[in-house]
């Protein structure tokens, strides 16, 4: 086939090479395939997901192995180097610095077996959990990593709550089988009990720790033998029949006997795996492996691309939007500040929900009720960012922004719908912010507003006396806010602890009752950043009492609710 002249362009984030002004043949073929790919095909080949875990369970290690399989990175260690580690508090500057670096790894796009995978990173540090909650609003499914020694930990429980609210499909990966961990049946029971989701093992470990010999795939009915390997991507030996004597030879008689016994038990206790139950968030398939040894990761990835959902439909204030609608729409789920204080540029992360996003087009900014031109959209591919011309449902686009966009904003081709399901959750620690420099009041207000728009923390302004209280998930954020206000806005503040247990968004079907409640609890009523009414409860016991005394008032722990 002759080289064919076409205008220079980049498509789907791929770079093209030219010879004498002509596209090289293989790139021409690629170009043709993509040019004629329909919206439906683009949707079907995408999987957008996040990996969540309690810190140290192995999220970063697993991410890295997945990227190795996708060919997105060439050597182990590349993701690790930009990881936010659990630093001591005095090291928070380092964390902020790494947050800057982590923009590049916020979204990692890679191709695996013709599937375009968008992996959304979530911060490892617990103090930034709210970032993780928001990222979960932009994914279609989740892989949850659990340490087989520690079992279900606190952070995992919280993250699972967010997944359950949205019925997000979850796959569990029980990690570190090369260590002496807990009994696998016990782990499964704990997942069901603590995470309130049914499980269905799809693979099963053959012994563990020093005696770990591999896993049996209950899905493919085959045995994968374990060969410790930190860097290479190897496949284990496969034997197809669990009853064959080859199994005894390979894993030892006692391991083989135990495996046959376990498998019989599993098949007796757990119902057949049903993909629809998984897609509805009712059942979590479970895999066992060792991420650092690259064991069980390929099986996980292969099953993931087979069963995980392509971009799904999403609720808005007006109607449910299907991804294959021709008109573009999407929402902002994350804002990342530029680390350079001289330039207030921010990157807004836009999840595309329907239609095709085209760079240079005008889109409708629903909150601001105006049209905006997006000429500098960026796609995320593994560790790089590059300018893109178009993006499809499931893709995440980075938009450089000087203050037009905030978390939760919807962009469309004109329809005035707003994506729902991106709520704020009640923070856990509350402190009053006090201005230490009256000359810089304006800067402080601007700084606070912008930091809140980035989602660094939540601001509650009391109705009485205009007191401003900042709520965060982790204490570290106060230091971050204080530093950034000083550094970027020249505003000095101090924080004063408040005796607050929860921020509860309040509503009532009866407006008169709501007014009465507000009047009687005036000192505890504040407004959130969107002006919504919030009751600042001082303690659990007190909140319960108030709830009993005011049965006509609804108390909500997230900012989005149905009355
Ligand atoms: P996180 O992102 O969830 O916080 O966890 P991360 O991947 O950083 O893993 C935490 C620690 O657990 C790391 O050790 C990592 O090497 C180790 N790890 C991950 N997967 C496995 C596994 O399958 N088996 C075993 N035994 N360990 C595993 P570290 O000492 O903190 O870091 P490093 O020095 O190994 O890099």
């Amino acid at each position: 086939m002759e080289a064919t002249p076409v205008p220079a362009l980049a498509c789907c984030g791929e770079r093209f090479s030219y010879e004498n002004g002509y596209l090289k043949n293989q790139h021409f073929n690629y170009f043709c395939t993509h040019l004629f790919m329909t919206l439906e095909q683009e949707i079907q080949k995408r999987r957008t997901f996040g990996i969540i875990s309690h810190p140290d369970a192995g999220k970063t290690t697993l991410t890295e192995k997945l990227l190795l399989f996708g060919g997105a990175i060439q050597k182990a260690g590349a993701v690790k180097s930009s990881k936010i580690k659990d630093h001591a508090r005095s090291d928070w500057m380092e964390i902020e610095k790494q947050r800057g670096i982590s923009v590049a790894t916020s979204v990692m796009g890679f191709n695996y077996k013709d599937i375009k995978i968008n992996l959304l990173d979530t911060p490892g540090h617990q103090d930034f959990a709210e970032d993780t909650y928001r990222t979960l609003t932009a994914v279609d499914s989740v892989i949850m990593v659990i340490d087989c020694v520690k079992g279900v930990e606190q952070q995992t429980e919280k993250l699972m709550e967010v997944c359950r609210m949205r019925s997000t499909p979850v796959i569990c990966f029980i990690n570190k089988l090369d260590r002496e961990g807990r009994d696998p049946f016990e782990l499964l029971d704990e997942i069901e009990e603590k995470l309130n989701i049914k499980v269905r093992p799809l693979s099963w470990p053959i012994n563990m720790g020093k005696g770990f010999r591999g896993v049996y795939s209950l899905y493919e009915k085959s045995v994968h033998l374990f060969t410790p390997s930190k860097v290479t991507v190897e496949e284990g030996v496969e034997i197809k029949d669990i009853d064959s004597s080859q199994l005894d030879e390979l894993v030892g008689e006692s391991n083989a006997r135990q495996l046959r016994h376990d498998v019989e038990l599993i098949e007796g206790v757990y119902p057949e795996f049903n993909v629809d139950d998984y897609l509805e968030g009712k059942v979590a398939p479970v895999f066992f492996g060792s991420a650092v040894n690259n064991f069980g990761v390929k099986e996980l990835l292969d099953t993931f691309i087979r069963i995980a959902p392509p971009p799904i439909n999403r609720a808005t204030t007006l109607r449910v939007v299907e991804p294959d609608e021709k008109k573009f729409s999407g929402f902002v789920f994350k804002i990342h500040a530029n680390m350079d204080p001289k330039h207030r540029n921010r990157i807004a992360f836009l999840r595309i929900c329907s239609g095709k996003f085209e760079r240079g087009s005008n889109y409708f900014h629903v909150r601001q009720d105006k049209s905006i031109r997006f000429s500098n959209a960026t796609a995320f591919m593994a560790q790089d960012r590059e300018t893109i011309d178009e993006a499809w449902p499931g893709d995440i686009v980075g938009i450089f922004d000087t203050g037009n966009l905030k978390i939760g904003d919807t962009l469309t081709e004109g329809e005035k719908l707003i994506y729902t399901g991106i709520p704020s959750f009640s923070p856990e620690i509350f402190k009053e912010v006090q201005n230490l420099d009256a000359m810089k009041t304006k800067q402080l207000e601007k700084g606070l507003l912008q930091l809140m728009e980035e989602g660094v923390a939540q601001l509650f302004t009391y109705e009485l006396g205009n007191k401003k209280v900042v709520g965060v998930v982790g204490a570290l954020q106060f230091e971050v806010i204080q530093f950034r206000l000083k550094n970027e806005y020249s505003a000095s503040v101090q924080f004063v602890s408040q005796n607050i247990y929860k921020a509860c968004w309040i509503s009532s079907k009866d407006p008169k009752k709501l007014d009465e409640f507000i009047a009687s609890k005036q000192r505890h009523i504040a407004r959130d950043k969107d002006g919504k009414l919030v009751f600042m409860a001082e303690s659990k016991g007190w909140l319960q009492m108030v709830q009993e005394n005011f049965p006509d008032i609804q108390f909500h722990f997230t900012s989005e609710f149905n009355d």
Side-chain angles (χ1 to χ4, degrees):
M1 193 180 170
E2 289 281 330
T4 313
V6 290
L9 83 162
C11 181
C12 300
E14 297 289 329
R15 291 201 191 288
F16 293 89
S17 343
Y18 298 87
E19 244 167 28
N20 307 323
Y22 291 81
L23 259 186
K24 281 186 179 171
N25 272 348
Q26 75 270 32
H27 295 133
F28 176 71
N29 293 342
Y30 177 93
F31 172 70
C32 289
T33 324
H34 279 71
L35 187 66
F36 299 117
M37 250 170 87
T38 62
L39 175 60
E40 183 53 33
Q41 284 168 322
E42 293 286 358
I43 293 167
Q44 288 310 323
K45 68 175 262 194
R46 277 169 171 74
R47 302 286 181 278
T48 301
F49 79 110
I51 304 181
I52 54 177
S53 73
H54 190 89
D56 271 350
K59 180 174 72 72
T60 314
T61 313
L62 180 64
T63 301
E64 187 167 281
K65 301 300 176 192
L66 294 177
L67 293 181
L68 278 169
F69 276 113
I73 54 170
Q74 266 62 51
K75 62 175 176 50
V79 178
K80 200 97 192 165
S81 59
S82 65
K83 179 188 170 180
I84 303 169
K85 266 276 179 191
D86 234 343
H87 287 276
R89 285 191 60 184
S90 59
D91 258 0
W92 69 268
M93 267 295 289
E94 185 58 20
I95 292 172
E96 265 304 284
K97 222 163 71 198
Q98 298 210 5
R99 254 161 80 83
I101 297 166
S102 73
V103 172
T105 56
S106 287
V107 181
M108 291 163 273
F110 62 96
N111 291 302
Y112 179 72
K113 295 190 175 170
D114 262 352
I115 296 288
K116 163 89 191 289
I117 297 178
N118 293 314
L119 168 49
L120 275 55
D121 192 27
T122 52
H125 202 291
Q126 290 190 46
D127 283 14
F128 297 108
E130 186 140 11
D131 245 19
T132 305
Y133 302 157
R134 275 191 300 263
T135 299
L136 291 181
T137 66
V139 302
D140 298 308
S141 71
V142 151
I143 292 180
M144 179 178 283
V145 185
I146 292 172
D147 182 328
C148 75
V149 182
K150 296 183 177 153
V152 175
E153 297 171 88
Q154 192 199 6
Q155 189 65 5
T156 326
E157 287 184 55
K158 279 199 207 162
L159 293 167
M160 186 62 211
E161 260 173 54
V162 180
C163 293
R164 218 183 5 260
M165 272 175 60
R166 315 174 53 79
S167 305
T168 307
V170 175
I171 295 179
C172 284
F173 181 72
I174 300 189
N175 190 27
K176 305 197 186 179
L177 264 290
D178 58 319
R179 286 195 180 164
E180 300 298 337
R182 309 237 312 262
D183 174 66
F185 282 109
E186 204 187 292
L187 284 168
L188 294 184
D189 287 349
E190 188 175 89
I191 296 173
E192 290 207 328
E193 199 181 299
K194 287 198 174 165
L195 300 183
N196 196 6
I197 186 166
K198 292 256 165 280
V199 294
R200 177 45 160 113
L202 290 188
S203 76
W204 197 253
I206 305 170
N207 212 331
M208 59 169 64
K210 286 204 176 74
F212 183 48
R213 302 310 305 271
V215 293
Y216 175 65
S217 166
L218 293 147
Y219 206 54
E220 289 157 5
K221 309 239 181 290
S222 62
V223 170
H224 297 254
L225 289 178
F226 173 58
T227 29
S229 129
K230 290 200 178 188
V231 275
T232 52
V233 178
E234 278 176 17
E235 287 194 33
V237 185
E238 275 190 33
I239 47 172
K240 289 283 173 195
D241 182 8
I242 191 173
D243 288 321
S244 90
S245 59
Q246 201 193 349
L247 178 67
D248 301 71
E249 283 158 30
L250 287 168
V251 304
E253 246 176 65
S254 127
N255 283 330
R257 203 175 326 115
Q258 184 67 43
L259 176 67
R260 290 181 190 117
H261 172 265
D262 288 351
V263 169
E264 203 183 317
L265 198 63
I266 293 163
E267 302 298 358
V269 170
Y270 295 97
E272 283 262 306
F273 174 62
N274 180 328
V275 175
D276 291 334
D277 286 346
Y278 154 70
L279 292 174
E280 286 168 26
K282 291 181 187 155
V283 166
V286 179
F287 291 83
F288 292 83
S290 168
V292 79
N293 289 297
N294 211 354
F295 192 77
V297 178
K298 187 170 179 297
E299 290 74 16
L300 174 74
L301 185 56
D302 283 337
T303 312
F304 169 81
I305 57 166
R306 210 161 350 133
I307 66 172
I312 48 177
N313 55 29
R314 286 176 177 262
T316 72
T317 44
L318 292 186
R319 61 189 183 84
V320 171
V321 173
E322 303 287 339
D324 60 358
E325 291 181 18
K326 273 186 95 172
K327 289 197 170 156
F328 156 80
S329 68
F331 67 88
V332 175
F333 65 95
K334 177 174 169 140
I335 303 257
H336 206 300
N338 198 320
M339 295 310 288
D340 181 354
K342 288 188 213 84
H343 301 100
R344 293 252 168 81
N345 276 356
R346 311 187 288 189
I347 299 177
F349 290 76
L350 177 77
R351 151 88 199 210
I352 299 178
C353 300
S354 70
K356 180 165 92 168
F357 174 91
E358 283 179 282
R359 185 165 71 93
S361 295
N362 288 324
Y363 290 117
F364 184 62
H365 186 321
V366 179
R367 180 176 54 86
Q368 291 191 342
D369 198 19
K370 69 176 188 198
S371 187
I372 298 188
R373 190 177 169 81
F374 295 97
S375 45
N376 54 5
T378 301
F380 298 92
M381 291 298 285
Q383 309 262 294
D384 302 324
R385 281 190 256 156
E386 53 185 46
T387 304
I388 48 136
D389 289 312
E390 56 186 29
W392 305 90
D395 285 342
I396 310 297
V397 167
I399 293 172
F400 289 92
D401 171 53
T402 47
N404 274 318
L405 294 168
K406 66 178 187 179
I407 290 167
D409 277 347
T410 298
L411 300 176
T412 69
E413 287 194 23
E415 200 175 350
K416 290 191 174 176
L417 50 81
I418 295 171
Y419 278 96
T420 54
I422 315 147
S424 303
F425 296 86
S426 174
E428 281 159 35
I429 313 170
F430 298 84
K431 289 188 180 184
E432 181 187 354
V433 49
Q434 290 183 347
N435 188 359
L436 294 180
D437 183 354
M439 304 293 285
K440 297 279 161 59
T441 306
K442 272 224 164 82
Q443 285 89 328
L444 171 61
E445 278 181 7
K446 185 170 181 196
L448 269 179
L449 184 76
Q450 295 215 352
L451 292 186
M452 299 307 129
E453 279 177 5
E454 265 177 46
V456 176
Q458 291 181 56
L459 184 69
F460 300 95
T461 308
Y462 276 72
E463 292 278 87
L464 213 61
N466 211 28
K467 181 165 89 172
K468 288 185 171 18
V469 167
V470 169
V472 299
V473 174
L476 207 58
Q477 278 151 304
F478 288 117
E479 290 176 46
V480 173
I481 296 166
Q482 198 168 31
F483 177 84
R484 286 192 55 191
L485 284 174
K486 182 85 199 154
N487 211 33
E488 296 169 33
Y489 302 90
S490 312
S492 302
V493 296
Q494 68 179 13
F495 287 105
V496 181
S497 292
Q498 301 290 297
N499 181 26
I500 297 168
Y501 157 69
K502 279 254 160 30
C504 309
W505 283 265
I506 48 171
S507 67
S508 175
K509 290 196 169 67
D510 184 343
K512 240 178 85 191
K513 296 268 189 215
L514 190 62
D515 286 345
E516 278 168 26
F517 177 75
I518 292 168
S520 80
K521 293 279 172 275
Q522 236 175 1
R523 281 194 321 113
H524 306 279
I525 302 293
R527 299 246 178 208
D528 74 359
K529 64 175 189 331
D530 301 318
K532 285 188 182 158
L533 279 167
V534 182
F535 171 62
M536 310 296 269
E538 281 177 2
S539 70
K540 199 173 176 175
W542 188 55
L543 174 62
Q544 269 167 359
M545 211 169 70
V546 174
Q547 281 175 307
E548 279 162 25
N549 292 345
F550 293 89
D552 296 310
I553 306 297
Q554 274 81 52
F555 298 80
H556 315 270
F557 295 109
T558 70
S559 64
E560 235 175 53
F561 47 82
N562 296 315
D563 281 322

